[in-house]
Amino acid sequence: QKEVEQNSGPLSVPEGAIASLNCTYSDRGSQSFFWYRQYSGKSPELIMFIYSNGDKEDGRFTAQLNKASQYVSLLIRDSQPSDSATYLCAVNGGATNKLIFGTGTLLAVQP
Amino acid sequence: ETGVTQSPTHLIKTRGQQVTLRCSSQSGHNTVSWYQQALGQGPQFIFQYYREEENGRGNFPPRFSGLQFPNYSSELNVNALELDDSALYLCASSLAASGEETQYFGPGTRLLVL
């Protein structure tokens, strides 16, 4: 079983819609959860981090964490074509503070 | 811009050669982590350096080695290059023991091994 799983997509949404990106993880001891955005040919850029169960909002982005279900999600409201990218879910893996990444979900926002 | 810099941006090597990649961490950060990202995959943790010592290592062979300097910059060295080493190498800096150990990535070095 992969440690962090994401649907590879592509996830296609129309401009202005809500994009919902999902991620599950296997280590119940994980404490910190991150969403990175990666444009083609570029490096990952931090979008959100979340440590506690519930929702965390930042502008058009909302991260949701459910530790009991080992599930973290990212909602993007009013999606724009510039949001088209691969979204990487990452989980902090223990004392070394290493990040364990999923393979990423490709989001395509159609104008 | 994260303030994390990496050099070179691109590199072409042949199988069996050695390569050194460099990373300067964000101002105020004391920890550097290195990741390898193959095409179509998520980044894979190579190792982390904190206070000039290796602080954790992923599933990479010993020919992957590193250093951290007193100014917190870091090097990744790969010996005896193999074709599968072709990837984007990412450096991330963070501030250990801060309670918020968020990692910020540099632009990466794209390595092609022929």
Side-chain angles (χ1 to χ4, degrees):
Chain A
Q1 182 189 5
K2 290 185 181 177
E3 295 181 84
V4 178
E5 294 206 43
Q6 297 180 254
N7 187 323
S8 61
L11 173 66
S12 182
V13 300
E15 184 174 354
I18 295 175
S20 177
L21 303 160
N22 305 315
C23 171
T24 59
Y25 60 94
S26 60
D27 184 357
R28 283 194 172 276
S30 300
Q31 296 294 319
S32 309
F33 307 86
F34 304 85
W35 284 99
Y36 287 85
R37 176 175 66 197
Q38 187 172 29
Y39 292 112
S40 180
K42 302 295 186 182
S43 65
E45 171 193 7
L46 181 69
I47 298 295
M48 296 276 294
F49 60 86
I50 186 167
Y51 300 146
S52 304
N53 275 329
D55 295 359
K56 179 181 178 183
E57 186 173 320
D58 184 1
R60 296 188 295 114
F61 299 95
T62 299
Q64 299 174 317
L65 175 60
N66 184 326
K67 289 186 178 180
S69 300
Q70 295 174 247
Y71 176 91
V72 58
S73 66
L74 179 70
L75 301 179
I76 306 175
R77 289 181 298 281
D78 188 24
S79 296
Q80 301 297 310
S82 59
D83 295 326
S84 298
T86 295
Y87 288 80
L88 296 162
C89 171
V91 174
N92 186 306
T96 61
N97 195 31
K98 71 176 183 180
L99 293 178
I100 302 169
F101 284 86
T103 55
T105 298
L106 179 62
L107 172 66
V109 180
Q110 307 299 326
Chain B
E1 293 294 326
T2 62
V4 181
T5 62
Q6 291 187 244
S7 63
T9 55
H10 296 82
L11 205 51
I12 300 175
K13 292 285 188 178
T14 56
R15 197 170 47 183
Q17 285 189 310
Q18 178 265 342
V19 69
T20 297
L21 310 181
R22 295 178 176 83
C23 170
S24 292
S25 60
Q26 184 179 117
S27 178
H29 283 182
N30 56 14
T31 302
V32 172
S33 305
W34 286 93
Y35 294 83
Q36 180 196 65
Q37 187 176 23
L39 202 60
Q41 301 297 314
Q44 298 291 312
F45 176 74
I46 303 175
F47 43 55
Q48 181 181 90
Y49 278 84
Y50 170 62
R51 292 185 174 177
E52 303 178 54
E53 302 233 343
E54 188 178 287
N55 180 41
R57 186 179 184 92
N59 188 26
F60 281 81
R63 59 189 185 84
F64 285 78
S65 63
L67 285 173
Q68 187 180 34
F69 300 99
N71 67 354
Y72 305 124
S73 66
S74 178
E75 286 183 355
L76 163 65
N77 299 290
V78 187
N79 293 321
L81 284 167
E82 301 177 359
L83 297 180
D84 284 349
D85 295 333
S86 295
L88 179 66
Y89 287 85
L90 296 161
C91 159
S93 79
S94 57
L95 179 59
S98 66
E100 182 197 313
E101 298 183 11
T102 304
Q103 297 185 24
Y104 298 89
F105 285 90
T109 293
R110 191 165 298 279
L111 173 65
L112 177 61
V113 182
L114 301 175

